[in-house]
Amino acid sequence: MKPLRIALTKGRLEKDTVDLFEKMGLDCSAVREKGRKLILPVGSGEIEAVLAKAADVITYVEHGVCDLGVVGKDTILEHGTGFYEILDLGFGKCKFALAGPKGKDFFSGYATKTIATKYPNVARTYFEGKGMDVRIIKIEGSVELAPLLGLSDAIVDIVETGSTLKANGLEVIDEVTPISARLIANVASLKLRKAEIESLIARMEEAKKISQEK
Ligand code: PRP
C-alpha cells in the first residue's frame, strides 16, 4: 500500500506535528535527522511527510499530490477552500488582530484608512464585515514597519505574544479571529482512503487529548 502523504508546514508547526506523531507512537527519526531532505518516512512507512511552505501545503493538498496537510488557519483564511478542513490540532495558537500606533483612535474620522498586511484577503473580509472602505497595501514581512514609517494607519497581522507590537509602540485595536494549526485533506483522498485517514484522525485526536490533559 502506498503511504499516506502528509504535507507539513516547515518550522514550528512541523515540530509540533512531529511531537504529536511521536505521542501517537510513530517513529519520526527520519524527520528529526532530515538534513536538507524534503520527503521523509514516518512510522514504519505508512506515512510520508513532505516539508513545504505554508501556502504550498495548501497547493499540494488541493492538487491531490499530498493526501493531507498541516497548516495554520491564517494560511487557510488567506489562500482558499478547495480542500476539507478536518481537525483543529490545538497547537500553533495565535490570533489575527488589527493593530496601530498606541493611543490613536483608529475608528474616528472620515478619511479612508490605509492598512498594511501580509494577508490582504483576511483584511478585506474583516473590513467588509465592518462596512468600512479601506486601502490595503500588501507587505511581505515585518508589517509593523508600515505604520512606523507612515505608510499605513494600521496593520492586520498575526499576534502571538504581543511583544513585536509592544517593542514598536503599537497596540491591538481589535481582535479579528483566533488561529491554530489545522489538519486538511484532499477531497478525493478523503473518499478513496477514508478508512486509513479516519483511523489516523482518531489516533491524532487521542494523542491531542492526552497532551492537553498533561
Ligand atoms: C509574526 C507576525 C508578527 C510576529 C508576532 O512574524 O507577523 O510580526 O510574528 O509575534 P509576537 O506577537 O509573539 O511578537 P514572523 O516572525 O513570522 O515574521 P514576519 O514578520 O517576517 O512575517
Side-chain angles (χ1 to χ4, degrees), residues 118-119 140-144 157-165:
K118 245 169 99 169
Y119 301 86
E140 291 299 328
S142 299
V143 180
E144 294 84 358
D157 197 22
I158 290 172
V159 177
E160 192 184 350
T161 61
S163 48
T164 311
L165 291 182

Side-chain angles (χ1 to χ4, degrees), residues 12-80:
R12 239 199 44 212
L13 294 190
E14 166 197 333
K15 289 193 186 73
D16 288 341
T17 311
V18 165
D19 288 346
L20 186 74
F21 281 161
E22 286 179 340
K23 283 190 193 104
M24 292 158 65
L26 293 166
D27 175 10
C28 291
S29 50
V31 184
R32 291 217 180 266
E33 295 146 25
K34 61 182 182 280
R36 300 292 296 167
K37 250 187 126 156
L38 298 170
I39 303 182
L40 300 135
V42 169
S44 40
E46 67 271 37
I47 296 175
E48 194 167 65
V50 171
L51 306 181
K53 278 208 158 203
D56 299 336
V57 166
I58 288 186
T59 303
Y60 293 136
V61 171
E62 269 183 349
H63 288 270
V65 294
C66 291
D67 303 292
L68 298 166
V70 173
V71 67
K73 183 71 180 175
D74 51 326
T75 310
I76 295 176
L77 289 170
E78 185 62 25
H79 293 279

Side-chain angles (χ1 to χ4, degrees), residues 15 134 166 171 174:
K15 289 193 186 73
V134 297
K166 198 164 171 222
E171 66 182 359
D174 193 18

Side-chain angles (χ1 to χ4, degrees), residues 28-190:
C28 291
S29 50
V31 184
R32 291 217 180 266
E33 295 146 25
K34 61 182 182 280
R36 300 292 296 167
K37 250 187 126 156
L38 298 170
I39 303 182
L40 300 135
V42 169
S44 40
E46 67 271 37
I47 296 175
E48 194 167 65
V50 171
L51 306 181
K53 278 208 158 203
D56 299 336
V57 166
I58 288 186
T59 303
Y60 293 136
V61 171
E62 269 183 349
H63 288 270
V65 294
C66 291
D67 303 292
L68 298 166
V70 173
V71 67
K73 183 71 180 175
D74 51 326
T75 310
I76 295 176
L77 289 170
E78 185 62 25
H79 293 279
T81 51
F83 48 84
Y84 289 127
E85 186 184 318
I86 45 182
L87 185 62
D88 182 344
L89 293 166
F91 52 73
K93 282 192 177 165
C94 50
K95 63 190 174 198
F96 269 127
L98 171 68
K102 229 175 159 180
K104 267 203 178 170
D105 186 1
F106 174 81
F107 289 106
S108 72
Y110 294 101
T112 302
K113 299 287 194 298
T114 301
I115 305 300
T117 186
K118 245 169 99 169
Y119 301 86
N121 293 327
V122 171
R124 199 167 299 115
T125 306
Y126 168 74
F127 283 105
E128 274 171 11
K130 291 223 166 294
M132 253 178 101
D133 192 19
V134 297
R135 187 162 76 106
I136 293 171
I137 299 180
K138 169 101 195 271
I139 298 290
E140 291 299 328
S142 299
V143 180
E144 294 84 358
L145 280 172
L148 298 181
L149 297 175
L151 180 67
S152 74
D153 297 292
I155 61 175
V156 168
D157 197 22
I158 290 172
V159 177
E160 192 184 350
T161 61
S163 48
T164 311
L165 291 182
K166 198 164 171 222
N168 292 290
L170 304 171
E171 66 182 359
V172 170
I173 300 165
D174 193 18
E175 295 192 0
V176 176
T177 182
I179 295 168
S180 58
R182 306 296 159 103
L183 181 70
I184 62 170
N186 173 263
V187 177
S189 297
L190 201 53

